[in-house]
Amino acid sequence: MEPGLLKSSDWPLLIDIYFFLGGVAGGAFVIATIAGLLDRVRYRDVVRVGYYVALFAIIPCPVLLIVDLGLPSRFLNMLMVSKSSVAIGMSAVTVGPLHIKPYSPMSAGAWGLMVFSACAFLCAAETWLADRRGRGFPRVRVVAGVIGIVAGFFLAAYPGVLLGATARPLFISAHWLGALFLAVGAATGSAAIALVLAWLRGSAAQDALARVMRVSSVALVTEIVALVLVILSIRAAGSAGLDAALGQLVTGPFSIAFWLGAVFLGALLPLLLGTIGRSALTMTSLRATLVLVGGFLIKFVLIDAGQASLNGVG
């Protein structure tokens, strides 16, 4: 087995969905917060929809994680445990009778999820109050937004970093997975905002849609570059086992879903459609939908191909 920090069991489809929704939530939140800091009035629609998308995308994530773990208490143990600090490592931080494991990848992910969820709730709630009553709590929104940006970046990139720390042949040498997942989060988060704007506002959302889809296009280019770097980093390791693991993805049973679904339909085609000019709402909706499907597929095929290579599938 390749060296790795984590000895991973098989991740089911629930975890693929969890990673995807976390990326969408993180990307949408970061875009909404930056838009609000630049000009909350001008980008009002982007801010509103972005915070609502972030909240509704993150709500299922703790549930999916708990279902995968089997018991709610296991999720709580990822946050802190009641064992002695010596038993769980000298790096543990003691808070009364409980102990936090800041250097544990799983614990860090659980804390990141909790912090981001709180920030997403506060910003969405403040936005709702401002819409309903005409005034909200802008200072709360700004503070939660700034903290949430950090947590959002972490939440989007964390699955890639976690995979890279896992004892799986396809993952252990893929040093750009964190950057890839971060780019996917930005692309899918902006695409989700654009799709909701197209549904809710019609032609009045054209300007906001165009701006958000430009963000998505930049993220897609970054995603393609990061994906190339992931593949090159695996090949550069120069191992027969790693080549066989990569073959599951690029030439093996996952190659059609990877090249046709994740790369072409999910990245190249939306970029190509974006060069046609100012698109109609139906075209923008199509582009956004393709980006979302491609964002899910790229995480799905990477995770499943990595597991298949270890399990001897193919």
Side-chain angles (χ1 to χ4, degrees):
M1 180 179 290
E2 298 289 333
L5 292 176
L6 298 179
K7 186 176 180 181
S8 171
S9 59
D10 288 343
W11 282 318
L13 181 61
L14 286 178
I15 297 301
D16 298 338
I17 298 172
Y18 163 54
F19 286 163
F20 170 70
L21 290 177
V24 172
F29 187 95
V30 170
I31 291 168
T33 300
I34 293 176
L37 293 174
L38 290 175
D39 192 332
R40 183 170 174 83
V41 176
R42 182 180 182 184
Y43 302 121
R44 177 175 177 269
D45 291 333
V46 175
V47 173
R48 291 172 63 252
V49 172
Y51 282 146
Y52 292 146
V53 167
L55 177 63
F56 285 106
I58 204 63
I59 285 175
C61 290
V63 178
L64 292 171
L65 189 54
I66 290 171
V67 170
D68 178 62
L69 292 171
L71 294 172
S73 59
R74 292 178 181 172
F75 179 77
L76 296 176
N77 286 337
M78 291 172 66
L79 296 171
M80 57 182 65
V81 296
S82 57
K83 299 177 181 178
S84 67
S85 59
V86 175
I88 63 174
M90 296 303 294
S91 60
V93 176
T94 299
V95 181
L98 301 174
H99 307 282
I100 303 172
K101 303 171 287 183
Y103 296 103
S104 164
M106 300 301 290
S107 181
W111 276 106
L113 176 61
M114 294 298 292
V115 171
F116 178 82
S117 299
C119 292
F121 172 78
L122 289 173
C123 288
E126 193 280 335
T127 300
W128 184 82
L129 287 173
D131 288 343
R132 291 282 178 154
R133 300 181 179 180
R135 62 184 299 273
F137 301 92
R139 290 184 181 179
V140 173
R141 185 194 70 246
V142 171
V143 173
V146 172
I147 296 173
I149 281 183
V150 178
F153 274 113
F154 174 84
L155 190 66
Y158 165 78
V161 177
L162 180 67
L163 291 178
T166 302
R168 299 273 182 178
L170 184 62
F171 304 145
I172 198 65
S173 297
H175 305 303
W176 292 87
L177 275 176
L180 173 61
F181 276 47
L182 183 61
V184 172
T188 53
S190 53
I193 293 174
L195 193 59
V196 175
L197 283 172
W199 283 347
L200 298 182
R201 295 299 302 274
S203 59
Q206 283 285 4
D207 183 60
L209 280 170
R211 293 177 184 276
V212 171
M213 288 308 296
R214 278 199 292 270
V215 173
S216 186
S217 295
V218 172
L220 284 176
V221 173
T222 306
E223 176 184 320
I224 293 170
V225 172
L227 182 59
V228 171
L229 291 173
V230 166
I231 294 175
L232 290 178
S233 66
I234 297 173
R235 288 198 180 280
S239 159
L242 291 175
D243 288 342
L246 183 61
Q248 293 284 338
L249 182 68
V250 298
T251 59
F254 298 92
S255 59
I256 294 178
F258 176 67
W259 292 113
L260 179 60
V263 176
F264 177 71
L265 293 178
L268 296 179
L269 185 56
L271 286 173
L272 178 63
L273 294 175
T275 63
I276 296 176
R278 272 221 180 187
S279 304
L281 287 175
T282 52
M283 182 64 73
T284 301
S285 299
L286 174 62
R287 289 176 59 202
T289 301
L290 288 173
V291 172
L292 288 168
V293 172
F296 174 77
L297 282 176
I298 199 165
K299 295 182 178 183
F300 171 76
V301 295
L302 276 171
I303 294 171
D304 278 34
Q307 295 182 145
S309 65
L310 187 66
N311 296 336
V313 176

